[in-house]
Amino acid sequence: DTGVSQNPRHKITKRGQNVTFRCDPISEHNRLYWYRQTLGQGPEFLTYFQNEAQLEKSRLLSDRFSAERPKGSFSTLEIQRTEQGDSAMYLCASLRATRELFFGEGSRLTVL
Amino acid sequence: SQQGEEDPQALSIQEGENATMNCSYKTSINNLQWYRQNSGRGLVHLILIRSNEREKHSGRLRVTLDTSKKSSSLLITASRAADTASYFCATDVQGAQKLVFGQGTRLTINP
């Protein structure tokens, strides 16, 4: 247990539906990251927050994706109008001051 | 985009043997890190080596870094069945605020 919690662990949805994932990072870590990982690939950066400010977004993050971190604590990642290509593992991580990432167990999305 | 390229993509060895994985990258880095991922789980940090370090040890792990060749290697000695997992290198790129991961090496330890 790394101390980073993600919910839900698994989500199956139909194409066109909206889904939301939640991440609770380690409380003393100011930076929170979202990555996406498809089968057999390494994690790909999506976005990160410094406290409540979203400081960088990848081009992978289309207009259908939105992430928030209100009050600089937990974070949510919402995908609107899901497509089959959105099927992946969505990983959240918080950054220690010494630059190591602590990952949650991930939220696996399957879009039918 | 993924900066790191790992070699081999898959490795299968007998328990007790040593496993070596390699990572190459393209740009200047602050540090390089190795992570482990069991199937269907999140990644777990193993070891970090800074750009001014050449070798680092942690238990059965040995990491080397050659910044002139932009490459790193991870050696797992006396492998165990429980070491079966995917291993990823991640670069902390200078001027960037995120870790960039490679595609990973799938390691299988046969009992």
Side-chain angles (χ1 to χ4, degrees), chain B residues 59-95:
Chain B
R60 294 184 296 112
L61 305 180
R62 172 177 165 254
V63 170
T64 62
L65 179 64
D66 187 334
T67 53
S68 66
K69 294 181 179 178
K70 292 186 168 58
S71 68
S72 174
S73 68
L74 171 68
L75 169 67
I76 303 174
T77 61
S79 63
R80 305 166 181 170
D83 294 329
T84 294
S86 291
Y87 292 82
F88 296 90
C89 69
T91 48
D92 190 354
V93 176
Q94 285 184 6

Side-chain angles (χ1 to χ4, degrees), chain B residues 21 58 88 100:
Chain B
M21 293 158 253
S58 176
F88 296 90
V100 180

Side-chain angles (χ1 to χ4, degrees), chain A:
Chain A
D1 183 6
T2 62
V4 178
S5 176
Q6 289 190 247
N7 289 288
R9 290 288 315 280
H10 303 276
K11 179 72 176 179
I12 300 173
T13 191
K14 292 182 179 178
R15 189 177 54 185
Q17 298 294 305
N18 299 344
V19 297
T20 299
F21 301 116
R22 176 180 169 127
C23 172
D24 289 89
I26 295 171
S27 58
E28 58 265 32
H29 293 176
N30 294 328
R31 285 198 181 175
L32 183 150
Y33 290 77
W34 285 98
Y35 284 81
R36 183 172 73 184
Q37 185 179 29
T38 53
L39 198 63
Q41 302 295 312
E44 294 178 294
F45 170 77
L46 291 179
T47 188
Y48 88 94
F49 293 82
Q50 172 82 25
N51 299 314
E52 67 274 10
Q54 187 175 19
L55 297 185
E56 186 176 345
K57 292 192 291 186
S58 163
R59 285 172 291 179
L60 292 175
L61 217 62
S62 75
D63 291 345
R64 297 184 297 104
F65 288 71
S66 63
E68 295 182 343
R69 193 184 182 195
K71 303 178 183 178
S73 56
F74 71 92
S75 177
T76 59
L77 177 68
E78 181 183 16
I79 309 173
Q80 296 182 326
R81 304 181 304 283
T82 53
E83 302 172 356
Q84 288 185 326
D86 298 331
S87 295
M89 175 80 90
Y90 291 86
L91 294 162
C92 172
S94 61
L95 187 72
R96 191 175 178 184
T98 44
R99 305 293 291 179
E100 301 99 330
L101 283 173
F102 287 75
F103 282 87
E105 295 286 15
S107 293
R108 180 167 296 284
L109 174 65
T110 302
V111 181
L112 302 176

